[in-house]
Amino acid sequence: MIRVGIAGAAGYTAGELIRILISHPQVELRYLQSESHRGEPVGRVHRDLIYMNLKFSDLDLTDIDVLFLCMGHGMSAQFLERHPVPASVRIIDLSHDFRLKSNAGDFVYGLPELNRERIRGAWHVANPGCFATAIELGLLPLAKSGLLPAHVSVFGITGATGAGQKPTEETHYSHRAQNLSVYKVFSHQHLAEIREILAGLDEDVQADIAFVPVRGCHARGIMVNAVFASERDLSEIRSMYAACYEGHPFTVMSDEPVYLKQVVNTNYCFVHVEQQDRNVLVTSMIDNLLKGASGQAVQNMNLMFGLEETAGLGLKASYF
């Protein structure tokens, strides 16, 4: 059994991680750390988990095999400075602290569709961002084939849980319900890792990604639409995508248009490509809390410990 500790266990991503891991056949949850809820029952924060006997506690870093960091951006690096982790403990970080090469150290970027073999041998993994996962999976086959266009327009809409658990004016129900709004236009924090990953696959093209993020009026799920021009026909592009994702269990190509209810509450990314004249549209859909965060983190854990990549991730979509 893999002994697991979670630091920052009171937030949305940690809650999803707990829900996955309590049913994982190879995991024992040892410690759920939360400074603000120390000593409280887990079910007092994650209200659907009232049947669990676990309480939030301090971490014993000598008594676990893997540590998940589920804290806010900038806090993971601070935590590791204050709490040296034994060399025997693997780390999976869900913040952006170690995603970029300039700060990564020995952290491997945890996108399995790109770095599966490196993740298998990694001791430390930086989980990708939610928008980054959806956009990268939409453009990865082009970059791998050296066909990434010089300019790509990207429109993405995300659910309210993408903003985290702490209430803000933009996540307040009266603001979010029946409403749409753009934010961080052309400057979203995930753009740096997206550009770095895609440029690393296709050094000849420095893609100009014009990204417009949108706050949706739903709780969870990301839809990304990437638009670019191409001289290649649709069958060739779809074949390229199918070949890229062959053997990757959680990224699925669809000949039909895709929608959020197909992927919400699952670790899947569904991708659809269509074309009219020279204009190509690639749509990618994920659950921001699962394939965009905690589900992908468990996928990475499975690879790191030599388990089946899909272990514990047979999750059902909330289709109706």
Side-chain angles (χ1 to χ4, degrees):
M1 299 293 284
I2 300 169
R3 299 169 300 167
V4 170
I6 301 175
Y12 282 147
T13 57
E16 290 299 87
L17 193 55
I18 295 166
R19 293 177 186 99
I20 296 170
L21 293 178
I22 57 177
S23 299
H24 194 293
Q26 295 296 116
V27 163
E28 178 187 353
L29 275 175
R30 283 290 180 94
Y31 301 101
L32 304 176
Q33 180 268 353
S34 170
E35 293 184 4
S36 57
H37 296 281
R38 185 185 294 113
E40 295 182 20
V42 169
R44 188 168 295 170
V45 174
H46 303 298
R47 301 300 296 273
D48 59 318
L49 300 178
I50 57 175
Y51 57 87
M52 289 189 65
N53 294 322
L54 285 173
K55 292 185 177 182
F56 294 108
S57 65
D58 293 324
L59 284 166
D60 181 353
L61 296 173
T62 66
D63 191 36
I64 58 175
D65 300 305
V66 61
L67 173 65
F68 289 91
L69 299 174
C70 295
M71 294 172 289
H73 300 313
M75 297 178 65
S76 293
Q78 294 177 18
F79 179 91
L80 294 178
E81 288 177 3
R82 296 195 309 268
H83 306 280
V85 177
S88 60
V89 177
R90 291 175 170 87
I91 300 172
I92 301 173
D93 178 38
L94 279 76
S95 79
H96 69 193
D97 291 15
F98 304 104
R99 293 172 188 163
L100 298 180
K101 292 178 182 178
S102 58
N103 301 321
D106 67 344
F107 276 77
V108 172
Y109 191 73
L111 187 69
E113 290 79 0
L114 173 65
N115 285 332
R116 178 191 272 163
E117 295 309 315
R118 291 186 63 207
I119 294 166
R120 281 188 170 127
W123 220 255
H124 300 150
V125 166
N127 225 52
C130 52
F131 261 133
T133 295
I135 294 171
E136 287 164 7
L137 291 176
L139 299 177
L140 198 61
L142 297 168
K144 278 189 170 184
S145 302
L147 299 174
L148 190 65
H151 179 79
V152 182
S153 296
V154 178
F155 171 91
I157 184 168
T158 184
T161 52
Q165 193 175 42
K166 185 178 179 179
T168 66
E169 180 182 350
E170 288 77 19
T171 59
H172 197 288
Y173 178 80
S174 60
H175 175 86
R176 200 91 181 205
Q178 303 177 52
N179 192 22
L180 294 172
S181 61
V182 300
Y183 69 107
K184 297 179 181 178
V185 176
F186 309 140
S187 63
H188 193 278
Q189 64 270 18
H190 290 177
L191 274 172
E193 65 183 278
I194 294 165
R195 288 174 174 142
E196 188 169 272
I197 291 300
L198 297 178
L201 291 168
D202 188 359
E203 295 179 357
D204 294 331
V205 176
Q206 298 295 320
D208 174 21
I209 299 174
F211 177 35
V212 179
V214 178
R215 300 183 185 97
C217 54
H218 56 292
R220 58 197 292 166
I222 285 177
M223 176 182 71
V224 163
N225 288 304
V227 178
F228 54 89
S230 176
E231 301 296 337
R232 299 174 185 274
D233 62 41
L234 180 60
S235 61
E236 183 179 359
I237 297 172
R238 284 182 173 173
S239 294
M240 182 195 313
Y241 273 73
C244 180
Y245 293 127
E246 184 178 5
H248 289 284
F250 290 114
T251 299
V252 178
M253 294 299 302
S254 172
D255 291 336
E256 300 294 327
V258 292
Y259 43 92
L260 280 180
K261 281 193 172 184
Q262 292 173 293
V263 297
V264 168
N265 283 341
T266 80
N267 194 53
Y268 285 105
C269 175
F270 283 3
V271 181
H272 172 69
V273 183
E274 57 184 84
Q275 182 182 41
Q276 186 175 56
D277 300 325
R278 295 177 63 250
N279 295 315
V280 178
L281 168 67
V282 179
T283 302
S284 48
M285 298 276 192
I286 65 169
D287 185 316
N288 54 288
L289 292 178
L290 290 172
K291 184 59 174 168
S294 304
Q296 187 152 248
V298 172
Q299 187 180 354
N300 284 322
M301 181 198 74
N302 290 339
L303 291 169
M304 295 167 78
F305 285 89
L307 305 178
E308 286 292 328
E309 193 169 345
T310 58
L313 291 169
L315 308 171
K316 174 190 173 296
S318 297
Y319 196 73
F320 298 111

